Amino acid sequence: MKNWIKQGDAYDLEIDLTLEGAPVTDSNLSLIQTAEFCLGDLRQEYKSDGTGTVTFSGGKFRFPLSQSQTFALREGPAMLDIRVKDVSGAVHGLENMIQVTIKDAISRREL
């Protein structure tokens, strides 16, 4: 995963996720009902029924970021926190949050 975001960027933040010591892949993704991703004040979800804004492909979760969303992030360190609800209904928070540095942009104009 890229560990920094520049204000004004717009792309999918790619996230590798490991649960109980094993990376999430296409073969075990079906064990996840919902995954919640929180970055600063942004909150998005992956849902197994396809209704969430976060998607999964190529072995990575893809957290979409728009220019307006990244402009709203404050410069400096931000924490990405992830919780997963499995198909049994149990909810597990990841032990360690992931630090992402938000870098300032001179321009505040969306392209």
Side-chain angles (χ1 to χ4, degrees), residues 14-86:
E14 296 180 347
I15 301 165
D16 296 305
L17 189 58
T18 301
L19 292 176
E20 299 180 5
V24 176
T25 64
D26 290 325
S27 63
N28 62 4
L29 181 64
S30 62
L31 299 175
I32 296 175
Q33 180 179 337
T34 304
E36 175 189 57
F37 298 82
C38 297
L39 175 65
D41 293 332
L42 299 176
R43 180 188 171 279
Q44 297 188 40
E45 290 183 335
Y46 165 83
K47 294 190 175 195
S48 59
D49 65 4
T51 60
T53 55
V54 175
T55 59
F56 185 86
S57 66
K60 297 180 184 302
F61 287 93
R62 300 182 187 283
F63 183 105
L65 295 168
S66 68
Q67 283 190 288
S68 62
Q69 288 173 321
T70 60
F71 273 133
L73 294 170
R74 289 183 298 241
E75 181 183 5
M79 302 308 288
L80 175 64
D81 193 17
I82 303 169
R83 296 185 312 149
V84 174
K85 181 177 183 180
D86 65 29

